[in-house]
Amino acid sequence: AVLRANPQYEMITLNFSSTAGTELIFKAFEQYCKIERRGGQGYVIRPTFQNKILCIFCDEINLPAEDLYGTQTIITFLRQ
């Protein structure tokens, strides 16, 4: 509630479930960010609003099912 009330931050709340995948994160990024390619350095994700910090709150982060290799793909993506 404190971050939502602060005009410096833009809050996103993601509710994870056993079926949550990286598409959940990509949909949030598509809505709140623009994705740019930076030459050979890869991609840069920038918030679409200026002078605000994007804060992503992940609820129930331990719920996504493990893949074939025993990892939770969505959590591995977030760590990168």
Side-chain angles (χ1 to χ4, degrees):
V2 174
L3 286 177
R4 286 192 194 279
N6 189 332
Q8 182 181 2
Y9 295 97
E10 184 70 30
M11 281 288 298
I12 300 174
T13 301
L14 300 177
N15 294 309
F16 288 8
S17 67
S18 61
T19 59
T22 53
E23 66 278 350
L24 180 68
I25 300 290
F26 284 121
K27 285 180 185 177
F29 284 157
E30 286 176 359
Q31 185 175 358
Y32 292 94
C33 300
K34 57 183 174 180
I35 303 171
E36 302 171 351
R37 178 125 175 115
R38 279 262 174 117
Q41 297 175 358
Y43 292 94
V44 175
I45 301 172
R46 299 179 191 271
T48 54
F49 31 80
Q50 294 182 353
N51 303 322
K52 282 192 171 186
I53 297 170
L54 182 63
C55 182
I56 301 174
F57 175 77
C58 301
D59 194 19
E60 303 291 347
I61 198 164
N62 61 331
L63 287 181
E66 293 181 351
D67 62 10
L68 182 64
Y69 303 103
T71 61
Q72 293 169 305
T73 309
I74 192 167
I75 295 172
T76 304
F77 175 76
L78 287 172
R79 287 182 177 163
Q80 293 183 21

